[in-house]
Structure formats: C-alpha cells, structure tokens
Amino acid sequence: MKIVHSWLQEVVPVGDDVDAIADAITHLGLAVEEVRRVGSTVPGVVTARVVRTERHPDAAKVHRVWVDTGDGVERHVWCGAFNMAAGDVIPLATPGTLMPDGRAIEPKPILSIPSQGMLCSARELGLGDDHSGILILPAGTPLGVPYGEALGLGEEVVYDIDVLRNRPDAYGHVGVARDVAAHFGLPLAERPKPPVATAAHRSAPVEIVAGDRCPRFTTVVLSGVQVGPSPEWMVRRLAAAGMRSINNVVDVSNYVMLETNQPNHAYDLDTLGGGGFRIRMAAEGETIITLDDVERTLTADDLLICDATDRPIGIAGIMGGQNTEISDATTVVALETAWFESSAILRTVARMGLRSEASARFERGVDPFGIESSIGRFVELLSLTCPHLQLHEGMVDARTAHLPGVTQITVRPARVGALLGTTFTAGRIAELVGSIGFGCEVSDDGSLRVTVPTWRPDCTLEIDIVEEVARLHGYGALGRTVPKSTVPGGLSPVQHRRRRLRQVLLGLGISEAMPHPFLTEGDLARAGLPGDAVRLVNPLVVGDDVLRTSLRPGMLKAVEFNQSHRRTGVSMFEVGHAYPPGSGELPDEYEALCVVLAGRDATAAVEVWRELASAMGWGARVDQGTVPAGLHPTRSATLSLGRDVVGAVGEVHPDVLDEYGVAERVAVLELNLSLLLASEPKVPQWKATSRFPSSDLDLAFSVPHTVTAEKVEKAIRQGAGNVLVDLALFDVYRGAGVAADARSLAYRLRLQALDRTLTDADVAAVREKVVAAVGKLGAALRG
Amino acid sequence: MIEEVRTAADAAVARLAAVSTLADAQALETEVLGKRGPFTEMKTRLGGLATVEEKKAAGQALNEATQRVAAAVQQRVAELKRAERAVQLEAERLDLTEVLSRPERGHAHIVTQAWERLEDVFVGLGFQVAEGPEVETDWYNFEALNMPPSHPARSMHDTFYVDHGAPGSTVLRTHTSPVQIRVMQTIEPPIYMVMPGRVFRNETTDATHLAVFHQIEGLVIDRGITLADLAGTIEAFTKAFFGEGFSSRLRPSYFPFTEPSAEFDIRTPAGNWLELGGCGMVHPNVLRAGGLDPEEWSGFAFGFGIDRMAKERHAVGDVRDMYTNDIRFVEQF
C-alpha cells in the first residue's frame, strides 16, 4: 500500500520528519519497505523553444531539431518524435542529465553529428504514461528554466507499506493515520459526516438475492455531474499512490477508496436497465465484459451485480462492467457502496486470477459501517469539480441478516501481563487500545469489556487485543528476559549417531551432496528402480513431479554432472529423505544414506560399509543372493538385519550407467537410516591385550567359487579358537596353479595367548585344526 | 714385555685411526682384542715371567693397553656411525614442496555446516532438537497452525500438493512449524526445542530463492512464558551465533500461528539492520491443536532460513549453486 505523505498529513498533523514517521510506521507493524519521492523534477531538464526541424537524407527514424533555451544559442538535437513544430516549447534534457529510468544523457552522435541533449516525453519525465510524442508545454512558458518550475510540479513523498493480513484498515490512509496519531499522541482529523441530500427523491432500488454473499448494498443518486478533469493535487496524489487519473468521477471514486479503505462504484444511471440493481449468483458459464475489455466467464460461486433487468453490470467487489461505465456524457450517477463477504471474494479472485484494488480490500475485510462517511466524502470531493452537484433524497440501504454486528471481547489485565511480562492496569490497557478507537469498559471483576471498532474485523479474540496492547506500547519497551530452561539441552541419540555417521564418511574422503528431491518422469526407470512413486499435483516445472523413492537417481545425476565437467572419480554421499508410496496417512517417508564412489568397484563400497558398521556398531547380513534393483547382478548384495532389508551394497548396473552416460564404474552403498540409526548400538567392551609374544601363521587355500570368503573366515575362526587375535585376507589369486572353478585365498592369522608364550607345538595344533575346519568346506590347503 | 704391550697398543690405535668404515673398525676390534689378538697371546706369556713384580707390572700394562684400545674402538665406531648417518640423512633430503597427491578429505555441505552450528548454539542455550516428516498432512501444515481451509493466509504459502490420500489432504510442508504440533502432542511441557528441516515452496527459483530449502524453528512452552522471554532469547541467540557485537530487535508483524507476532532483525557491528526471521507468542488455537491448555501453558516460537546463513557466511553469489552437487563447489568449503 502506498501512503502519500501529504495525504497522511491532511488526516493527522504529523510534521515532515519523513524518516521518523517511516520508522514509527514500521514499529507499529506496518513495515515501510521503501520511502520514495515521486513527481520530483529531473535536474538538468530545462524548457526550450523549437527553432526549426530538418530531415536528414540518411536517417529514416530520427530528424534534426534545433532548439533555443532562451540564450539565443541554437542547440542541435536528434529526435525520434515528430510532433513538434517551430515555436513549440518543449523540455530538453541537457547532456549529463540522469533520467528517472537510469539513462544518462550523453552527446551521442548519429551519422557523426552529435546530439546536445534529448527532448522528453511525459513518460520519460515520470509525468504519466504518455509516450506518443514530446511533451509540448503551454505557449508562453519561460525558456531556460527547470520544467518542473514552469509546470508548477510538486514532489510527493510515498511510504511503501507492506500491509499484512491482520490490518485490513491500513489499506486506507485513514487507517494508517489512526496508528500514527496514537503513536505520536496527535489528534486525528474529523471524519466526513454522512451526506445531506439537497434534491428531490430519486432512488436506485436494490434487490439482494444472494443475502449471505452481499449483506449490505447501498445506493445514492447524484445529478448535476459534469465529467471532466480532476484537480491537479488529486491527480498528483493518485499518481503517487499508483493510480492513473481517468476523469473527475472515477478519480473521486478511487480517491475515496484509498483514503477510507471503502471501495465504491459509480454507474451512469442512464445506462442502468430499470434504473436499479439486483445482486445474485452468476449462472454457470454466464459471461460479462469487464472494464478492462476482457470477457469473463463466471461460475455459480461468483457474485454478480445486475441492473434491474437482470443484465450483469459487474462482478461484485472485484470489477465493474464495461456497459455502465462513466462516459463524458454522464450527468446522473448511481453510486454503489456495498459490503461483501470476504472469503467468497477471495475464491472468485483466485479462480479468475483477477485482482483489483477493490477486491484486495474486500477479501481482507472492509468496515461494514464506514459506508455513510465514505459517501459523504465522495459527495464532498466531487462537488469540487461539479459545482451543480445534487444528492437526491432516497438513499437505498439494503441489508441482510448476514451483516456482521459489533464484536465485544473480554480482556483480563492479568492475562495481558502474563503474556507480555507487564503489569499494565485495566486503565493503561484501555488508554492504549482506546487511542485507536477500541471502546473499553471495566467490569466488576476487573476485566475489560472491549468493543472492537468495525474497521478492525481481524480482532475477535482476547489475544488480538493483547497484540494491540504490545504494538501500541512498543515491542522494544517490553523488556528482555531469558527463560530458565528446566530441561537438559542436547541432541537426541539418533541425532548424535547421524553426526557420527557423517564424520566417518567425511573421514573416508567422501563429500556431501544435496540433490533435488523431485525427479522427472522416467528418472526412476533410468536408474533401474521400480516406477511406483508419489506424484506432485502442481509441480513447478511440468514433468518434475515425481517424489524420489530412492536417493540414487539424484546421486547418479551428480556423478554424471561432474563427469561431464571433467571430474571423474568423485566420491559423494547424501543423507536425506525418500518418499515411497504407502497406504498410511502419509507416504512411507524414511531417511536414507546413499554413497556413490565413481571409478571404484564394488569392493570399495563394501569397505565403506565395513568401516561404517564398525564405527556405528552395526551388523548386517551381506546377501549376494538377492540383487537390489538397478545394481550389478554379480557384484551387489542386499544388507539385511533380521527380516528387515537395511540397505544395498555393490556396483551400479552397467545398463544404468549407460543410461546416464557414465563411463566409469560406480560403487554404491545405500542404507535405511530410519532403521539403522534408531537402534542403540552395542557399546564396545574392553578385551584384554596380551603381554606375551605373538606368532603369525600364513595359510593359503584353494577355495571353490561356490564358497564365500565369509564362510572360510568363519571356519578359520572356529578352528583357531580364542588364540586367534587377528585375521586378514592378504591375497586373492585366480589362474595357473589353481583349479578353474576355484581361487586362492591367503590369510594371515596372528595367534597369541593371554597367559603364556605359545610354543611351536601350540601353533602346529592350531594350524591342523584350521586346515581341517576349512577343509570341510571343500577347500584345500595350498602347498 | 711392557714395551711389547705398548708397541702393540700404539699400533692398534694407529690402525684404528686409518680405518674408514664401520665394518673395518669392527673387524679390527675382533682382530686386536679377540681371542687370537696380540693381547690375548701376551696374556698367556705372563706366567713365564720371572718375578711377581714383573708379572704384576706386565699384567697391569696389559690391562691398561686393552682398555685403551677398547676405548679407542668405541670412540672410532661412534665417529664412523655419525658419519654414515650424516651421509644417509643427506641422501634422504626431500623438497617438501613437491607434493604428488593430496590425501582425500570429505567436505560437508555448507547447509549441513550451518545447520549443525545452529543446533550447537541452541543446544548451548538449553534446547533439544526435534525433526518431522517432509511430506505432511494439510492438518499439521495449516489447520493446526490456525489456518483453516478458507484462511486467506494460506495464499502466503505457495504450496506443493501431493497426490496421496484425499485430494488436498497431503502437502510438502511449507515450513517447519508442523513439527511444533507433533512435539506438543508427544512431549509434556516444559518444551525447549529447535526443529531444523527441509521445506518446500512452489515458487520460481532464482539467485536468491529456492523451491526447496531449509529452516530452523524454535519452540518454548512453559508456565509463564512472555513476549519479553522471546525478545531475550532472540537476543541471546544473536550474540551466541553471530557474536557479541551483534544485537537484535522485534517489530510487530503477522503470522496466523503466533500472536503477538514479530519480525526479528539483527544489527551488525557496522550498524546495519538485517531482517532475519519471524517469531511470536504461540497462538492459543495452536496450543489447543497441540493438546495444551492455553490458560495453563504459554510459549513462543521463532524461525528463519538455514540456507541464507550458509549463503551469507560464504558469500555465495547464487543459491542454486549450493544444489548442483558440482564437486568444484563442494570442495571449496
């Protein structure tokens, strides 16, 4: 909302300290986003007389103009507009002038002939929208003076205010002025009285069919209207507030709305069929051409204003129709001032995408009882340009039972104190909210009976009054205390574990990625994953509507992106949510980890898994018999814990890599963190370390491919018993000397007893048992 | 014989001085002081000497000579060891600016870094940390937060709707505030909780706006909590997170889920005010939705963006860069 300083001043004598006023408005909760000076003249633009013009044979779009700024010196200017003649006075921007649009005027040559400035249109000077030609100033305008001085232009200061939902009244200058007056302790100007009729009875009758949607609709008839221009001060203020001047009737209509926050609509009474109004719901598919020359199709939920013959003449509260528009010939006006139900206006606005100054006010809430005063103001202002204006007897005030009444709220001073940390008495509270028009009476029990002014429909609860008290007292004046927390601060066990997980991964040299959680149609299939997913109803980008069921597609995209930027071999992880479909109230959202190691094979992912499992105290079965979707069929495994699948480890399927255009192997580890982080890990328990010497034993076995290394290790551990303190696979060999269906696995066993030095006989006995145990698997000791 | 002993000792010491390697020195030691050395041989001849005095004098001379030679050997060995080590050390000289490979270090995402720093500061102020789902019901995201279906403030949120359950019943949460309700439903007050998380807004992204970003939300519910407590907590956070030179202020504002509501701004040491986030006293309707009696409990809530903290700290020119997963970006931090 643009609040014009001079306009505000007319309602409250607030002085000229613009910064202090802006600061006060901001601290009243109406954030001033910008203070602008509009209509100010552009320094460097002076009046000049056209001496002569001339076409240049090589320049089709511009001509040459010689001007005189009163000193008798002819200055040459190139100009693209042709609407001036010798003798016209025009505004000349001299070289060095900085135009409002940011352009600097330079002596830029055309065809090597320099231009000593620029002739300006009205729009270029910020004087309106006219850009059809150069602004021709009145004949007799003195030459060589700033054009603003010649035109009597005045600057307006505008506060651009972000009005929030709880302050519908601040969409009018009076609403803002009321707060400012209370803040500075200044008097607010008297509001205009309801108008006094001066002419014979003449009515525009009203029939309300949709009483719930249109609880109040008033009309008055004004004759003696002469359509013409508005006073210069009104044009200037409207322009400063962001509205273009149309004619005196439309301008007064807008001016009253911007001042009082009460929208209204002026109809040419002679164009109203039957000379009256009928307010009804639209028929589904009914159409109307609105003032902006657009044909609108309506639904049965839209409210129409029709004339007495039931012809639609406006979409209620939003925009009038073209057919009853004020014209130059209008002499009798029917003025509508009404009150519409706000949420329905919002629905129609949202459906049509048609928002107007009027609808913005109605959808937030207008004062249902400010109508008389706004009509008074309308008559007062229109009289300025229509000396023969007459208001006829016979105002129609149609109301239905749906018109809201006056709200009263009980406010307990103790409650105010409990929420604000203050000790305000009922009297102090009454003083604060009374300053902006809230009525207060003290009840016998010490509470306040607060009557909410009808321009503040947002206030319905005690807490709303508490906020008004805080706002008017000033948030900064309420003091600062720090509550004593009686609970111990800290991260939850899951959060601690998640941090540890991240630290381990970072320590392994893996960096953190954060891919987008939305996938494009086909992304899951490309990654070799099942396509069943939850969709967005209204995606930002058409097609980007799949909620990821796995982090893998995003991570593969990251690998592809980096590879395409000549960064192969990246190692990245993501900790994030995936949202597979579910049958519950919400999708089966869970937290997942995905690690991708580009340029590495499956064993690298297994190593990461082992490190994590060791650091986090996890255990899981590595089940190579079940290949996770999208992974390499002979180099991947499912990780399971009991009956739960907790992850997958291995390599991305080469088909998937081809789909992504990734030329290197990608090792991958995926874990369900919702499951894994939830369980309390075992705390490592102390094992005694021996003081006696250890012996190493190297054993290589020829192991059939059908037997996993895991099984061999298990057999070794069983055979060796508790003297085995360390076991490492140090060589894997396939080829000559080993059967074609087997490979050689070489292990180093470190043997050590807690209570003695092992003898050669002890070691030999262990060796014998280990070889026997491994032999049962069909593996033979190699010689 | 005494003369013979002295001559042998002198010869050994002289030869030792000429030795240039450790091995030669050790060989010489064996040759001279070993079982077949001259001193051992002379010792066998002691018994053949005529008088006790002679035997005594010669024995003493032999002892002194072997001790002298042994000391000379020890000294020479030490010298040669030092020299050999010196040669070795020089041969091992490295140019420490020749670095062929760098060790791999993982880089945490800057949003995670900001997220964890914020958590740590709030933990220090006595807060716990809660989380909630990113796909939410309309009830938790709006209705429980005092935004019933027709509430105009819903239009302030550009909501992504999710095709799950009844039409319009499921959304991507537009803020972390639904976690407030979940916390109130599961934890008995007093509640001192921050709730970081990912949020979603259906708005076009640009250099400063993202459709998917992160917020942290704070919630305090206890007996007798006031607006002054909110102002004091914001100030304590400002100083703890940004530094002692920073301060804060509250300005009246409007949010459906808090009343009174405020924006909070922070003042930099240079004197500039920056808008940081929104806050306010928890609205009585929100407390009721969380199953709490507003006459018994009161509280405040606040919230602000995490991504912006990361962006400002590292002077990131375009927030979209934070989510391309370009390793050249990730490795900078």
Side-chain angles (χ1 to χ4, degrees):
Chain A
M1 174 67 189
K2 292 182 173 66
I3 295 294
V4 181
H5 177 76
S6 68
W7 200 338
L8 187 70
Q9 259 192 329
E10 205 173 278
V11 192
V12 56
V14 71
D16 280 319
D17 188 344
V18 170
D19 291 339
I21 295 165
D23 202 48
I25 296 174
T26 293
H27 283 91
L28 283 159
L30 303 164
V32 176
E33 300 195 317
E34 197 185 359
V35 178
R36 289 184 304 128
R37 289 165 198 279
V38 298
S40 52
T41 57
V42 182
V45 182
V46 298
T47 55
R49 184 174 56 85
V50 176
V51 180
R52 62 195 163 92
T53 66
E54 189 183 297
R55 295 303 303 238
H56 186 286
D58 295 334
K61 290 184 179 163
V62 289
H63 65 148
R64 309 181 63 183
V65 183
W66 281 265
V67 298
D68 171 15
T69 56
D71 53 8
V73 179
E74 283 190 9
R75 292 159 186 255
H76 168 260
V77 177
W78 283 102
C79 185
F82 298 88
N83 65 321
M84 75 292 286
D88 284 347
V89 180
I90 43 78
L92 168 74
T94 55
T97 300
L98 190 64
M99 299 303 288
D101 64 4
R103 269 183 305 170
I105 302 301
E106 293 160 11
K108 204 163 55 184
I110 297 178
L111 301 167
S112 304
I113 307 167
S115 188
Q116 292 170 286
M118 183 183 83
L119 308 186
C120 305
S121 72
R123 193 170 80 188
E124 283 167 333
L125 293 173
L127 291 174
D129 285 338
D130 192 359
H131 193 54
S132 60
I134 298 305
L135 177 65
I136 309 291
L137 301 171
T141 301
L143 301 183
V145 300
Y147 74 101
E149 191 180 302
L151 283 175
L153 289 181
E155 181 184 82
E156 292 285 359
V157 173
V158 179
Y159 307 97
D160 211 332
I161 292 177
D162 182 20
V163 180
L164 299 171
R165 286 273 164 192
N166 62 334
R167 289 303 305 280
D169 62 314
Y171 275 94
H173 280 71
V174 171
V176 174
R178 192 179 291 116
D179 268 16
V180 170
H183 180 83
F184 289 106
L186 296 167
L188 198 64
E190 280 283 302
R191 294 315 302 143
K193 297 275 184 293
V196 180
T198 51
H201 190 282
R202 191 169 179 188
S203 273
V206 175
E207 181 197 353
I208 300 177
V209 181
D212 54 335
R213 296 282 295 265
C214 177
R216 190 175 180 198
F217 195 100
T218 74
T219 63
V220 292
V221 174
L222 296 160
S223 60
V225 173
Q226 286 170 271
V227 175
S230 290
E232 184 269 330
W233 61 266
M234 187 181 286
V235 173
R236 202 169 68 214
R237 281 186 187 169
L238 286 172
M243 294 192 99
R244 195 161 52 97
S245 171
I246 309 289
N247 60 47
N248 56 343
V249 179
V250 175
D251 289 356
V252 165
S253 171
N254 286 331
Y255 193 94
V256 168
M257 173 179 69
L258 294 176
E259 184 169 290
T260 66
N261 192 35
Q262 173 64 59
N264 57 66
H265 194 82
Y267 300 84
D268 183 333
L269 184 62
D270 294 335
T271 64
L272 274 185
F277 297 89
R278 187 162 190 271
I279 296 91
R280 63 164 171 88
M281 301 310 296
E284 191 73 33
E286 199 170 356
T287 60
I288 181 173
I289 299 174
T290 42
L291 278 173
D292 53 0
D293 291 336
V294 177
E295 188 182 53
R296 312 268 175 188
T297 306
L298 305 160
T299 74
D301 189 41
D302 299 324
L303 185 66
L304 271 183
I305 295 172
C306 303
D307 66 14
T309 67
D310 211 31
R311 177 181 62 139
I313 54 173
I315 305 171
I318 301 174
M319 195 174 278
Q322 197 190 41
N323 47 16
T324 49
E325 207 177 341
I326 299 294
S327 72
D328 289 350
T330 301
T331 58
V332 185
V333 161
L335 178 68
E336 161 209 323
T337 315
W339 193 87
F340 301 106
E341 200 277 311
S342 59
S343 62
I345 296 282
L346 181 61
R347 284 204 301 277
T348 297
V349 163
R351 189 161 45 233
M352 289 191 174
L354 174 65
R355 178 167 266 109
S356 66
E357 290 281 342
S359 72
R361 288 171 171 79
F362 280 124
E363 72 179 49
R364 286 169 171 84
V366 164
D367 182 0
F369 301 102
I371 287 175
E372 288 83 352
S373 170
S374 83
I375 296 171
R377 185 64 170 149
F378 187 97
V379 173
E380 181 180 277
L381 288 170
L382 192 56
S383 304
L384 298 176
T385 49
C386 302
H388 307 297
L389 190 73
Q390 299 268 19
L391 174 69
H392 290 270
E393 296 274 2
M395 170 176 169
V396 177
D397 185 355
R399 301 186 187 199
T400 77
H402 297 276
L403 189 66
V406 170
T407 304
Q408 286 203 319
I409 301 170
T410 301
V411 175
R412 296 160 295 170
R415 180 75 177 152
V416 174
L419 288 169
L420 301 183
T422 58
T423 52
F424 293 156
T425 60
R428 174 64 179 147
I429 293 166
E431 185 188 350
L432 284 167
V433 298
S435 70
I436 53 166
F438 287 70
C440 294
E441 272 176 60
V442 182
S443 306
D444 294 341
D445 62 357
S447 68
L448 279 167
R449 194 88 192 123
V450 175
T451 305
V452 178
T454 51
W455 57 79
R456 288 297 303 274
D458 59 292
C459 288
T460 57
L461 303 171
E462 184 183 36
I463 192 70
D464 298 322
I465 307 303
V466 173
E467 179 170 65
E468 290 305 303
V469 169
R471 199 171 66 80
L472 293 161
H473 179 70
Y475 281 16
L478 284 170
R480 285 171 175 179
T481 48
V482 179
K484 295 277 177 294
S485 166
T486 48
V487 296
L491 298 179
S492 70
V494 167
Q495 289 154 356
H496 273 297
R497 286 172 214 148
R498 187 191 293 125
R499 283 204 179 186
R500 178 159 174 79
L501 172 88
R502 271 208 172 87
Q503 288 310 317
V504 172
L505 291 166
L506 294 171
L508 291 171
I510 308 169
S511 288
E512 189 177 14
M514 274 198 196
H516 209 58
F518 306 152
L519 303 179
T520 305
E521 178 69 51
D523 276 354
L524 288 169
R526 277 210 303 155
L529 294 166
D532 200 14
V534 179
R535 303 290 179 129
L536 288 179
V537 175
N538 55 337
L540 190 57
V541 179
V542 177
D544 272 3
D545 64 346
V546 179
L547 285 187
R548 63 181 180 186
T549 55
S550 158
L551 310 190
R552 206 191 304 157
M555 295 302 280
L556 288 175
K557 213 169 146 187
V559 169
E560 187 273 327
F561 177 92
N562 284 296
Q563 183 196 261
S564 70
H565 290 77
R566 303 185 62 224
R567 286 298 300 262
T568 51
V570 295
S571 297
M572 290 183 141
F573 75 91
E574 183 193 6
V575 173
H577 289 212
Y579 326 88
S583 52
E585 190 180 32
L586 290 171
D588 287 344
E589 180 174 341
Y590 71 101
E591 186 175 37
L593 166 72
C594 182
V595 180
V596 288
L597 309 167
R600 312 281 298 280
D601 70 21
T603 57
V606 174
E607 280 165 18
V608 172
W609 158 245
R610 290 193 171 192
E611 279 306 310
L612 275 181
S614 157
M616 304 297 295
W618 292 335
R621 232 175 25 255
V622 179
D623 175 11
Q624 222 173 320
T626 313
V627 178
L631 295 192
H632 194 301
T634 60
R635 292 185 162 207
S636 301
T638 299
L639 300 172
S640 25
L641 198 59
R643 289 165 62 190
D644 291 325
V645 170
V646 295
V649 64
E651 243 175 82
V652 175
H653 197 296
D655 287 351
V656 172
L657 295 177
D658 287 349
E659 284 287 329
Y660 279 85
V662 171
E664 47 188 344
R665 288 184 181 278
V666 178
V668 61
L669 169 67
E670 287 175 339
L671 298 176
N672 181 328
L673 296 183
S674 293
L675 289 173
L676 286 169
L677 292 177
S679 60
E680 181 81 39
K682 284 197 205 96
V683 177
Q685 301 292 304
W686 175 73
K687 284 194 218 82
T689 48
S690 173
R691 291 181 289 110
F692 295 94
S694 59
S695 307
D696 286 353
L697 187 57
D698 289 358
L699 296 173
F701 297 97
S702 175
V703 183
H705 280 140
T706 50
V707 177
T708 63
E710 191 181 23
K711 280 186 181 153
V712 175
E713 283 174 28
K714 209 169 164 186
I716 292 173
R717 286 184 196 283
Q718 272 173 354
N722 59 8
V723 293
L724 179 66
V725 293
D726 197 23
L727 176 64
L729 175 66
F730 69 88
D731 187 48
V732 178
Y733 169 74
R734 289 178 174 83
V738 183
D741 63 348
R743 80 284 199 197
S744 164
L745 299 177
Y747 290 93
R748 174 159 297 160
L749 293 72
R750 175 154 291 184
L751 308 176
Q752 197 174 24
L754 275 176
D755 53 353
R756 67 201 157 92
T757 302
L758 292 176
T759 63
D760 288 351
D762 289 332
V763 172
V766 167
R767 180 188 153 100
E768 199 174 318
K769 282 186 199 160
V770 167
V771 170
V774 176
K776 283 184 195 157
L777 298 171
L781 184 70
R782 299 186 67 218
Chain B
M1 188 162 176
I2 291 173
E3 192 51 41
E4 193 185 351
V5 168
R6 186 171 295 130
T7 309
D10 287 347
V13 171
R15 284 178 62 198
L16 205 53
V19 158
S20 61
T21 70
L22 196 57
D24 288 352
Q26 280 157 349
L28 185 66
E29 181 184 15
T30 311
E31 182 193 328
V32 178
L33 296 178
K35 287 176 183 167
R36 291 177 192 163
F39 299 109
T40 311
E41 186 269 330
M42 280 183 244
K43 214 172 186 176
T44 60
R45 287 194 271 124
L46 277 181
L49 291 177
T51 65
V52 174
E53 281 72 30
E54 268 183 322
K55 284 179 189 172
K56 199 176 172 187
Q60 196 178 343
L62 258 179
N63 270 343
E64 282 169 10
T66 51
Q67 275 169 19
R68 183 175 152 229
V69 172
V73 166
Q74 205 177 0
Q75 191 191 338
R76 187 61 186 148
V77 164
E79 275 171 24
L80 289 170
K81 273 189 176 167
R82 269 200 303 278
E84 283 192 12
R85 178 53 54 92
V87 170
Q88 177 208 346
L89 292 179
E90 186 52 42
E92 286 177 355
R93 178 173 291 280
L94 283 183
D95 173 1
L96 295 183
T97 63
E98 283 172 7
V99 182
L100 280 174
S101 66
R102 48 182 175 180
E104 283 173 38
R105 170 170 71 88
H107 299 261
H109 197 281
I110 53 174
V111 167
T112 302
Q113 293 183 31
W115 174 316
E116 293 188 348
R117 283 206 333 276
L118 288 164
E119 280 181 343
D120 291 346
V121 164
F122 282 113
V123 163
L125 294 171
F127 284 76
Q128 297 175 340
V129 182
E131 292 153 19
E134 294 170 7
V135 183
E136 261 297 5
T137 63
D138 178 272
W139 189 84
Y140 278 106
N141 195 74
F142 290 120
E143 208 159 337
L145 291 163
N146 200 27
M147 283 183 276
S150 64
H151 199 285
R154 284 193 177 206
S155 63
M156 285 156 59
H157 296 241
D158 296 298
T159 311
F160 281 114
Y161 285 91
V162 172
D163 185 13
H164 180 90
S169 67
T170 313
V171 301
L172 293 182
R173 64 178 178 192
T174 57
H175 47 185
T176 41
S177 307
V179 188
Q180 286 187 23
I181 304 295
R182 291 183 178 273
V183 165
M184 285 185 228
Q185 287 178 334
T186 49
I187 298 176
E188 289 283 315
I191 294 168
Y192 289 80
M193 196 70 83
V194 287
M195 293 147 278
R198 177 171 278 185
V199 299
F200 305 82
R201 294 283 171 98
N202 193 347
E203 8 177 75
T204 309
T205 57
D206 59 33
T208 53
H209 294 88
L210 291 163
V212 181
F213 54 102
H214 303 83
Q215 284 183 344
I216 188 164
E217 178 114 357
L219 177 70
V220 168
I221 294 177
D222 208 338
R223 290 193 169 83
I225 293 292
T226 69
L227 189 59
D229 289 330
L230 168 59
T233 301
I234 293 289
E235 179 71 5
F237 161 73
T238 300
K239 294 214 180 305
F241 187 76
F242 295 100
E244 276 299 317
F246 288 77
S247 58
S248 65
R249 73 176 179 198
L250 302 190
R251 277 188 289 120
S253 188
Y254 170 74
F255 304 103
F257 29 90
T258 50
E259 189 161 12
S261 296
E263 297 282 343
F264 67 93
D265 303 334
I266 58 161
R267 187 176 187 273
T268 67
N272 302 315
W273 286 102
L274 303 175
E275 271 187 48
L276 201 68
C279 59
M281 300 298 289
V282 180
H283 196 284
N285 291 347
V286 175
L287 289 170
R288 276 187 210 104
L292 299 175
D293 177 2
E295 292 293 321
E296 182 180 1
W297 302 103
S298 62
F300 61 76
F302 56 85
F304 53 92
I306 298 175
D307 303 66
R308 192 175 146 211
M309 298 288 149
K311 176 184 183 291
E312 304 281 330
R313 179 176 171 87
H314 302 288
V316 176
D318 188 329
V319 285
R320 289 169 294 192
D321 283 357
M322 302 195 326
Y323 296 96
T324 53
N325 306 306
D326 187 334
I327 196 77
R328 297 168 301 175
F329 177 89
V330 176
E331 283 176 351
Q332 290 175 28
F333 310 102

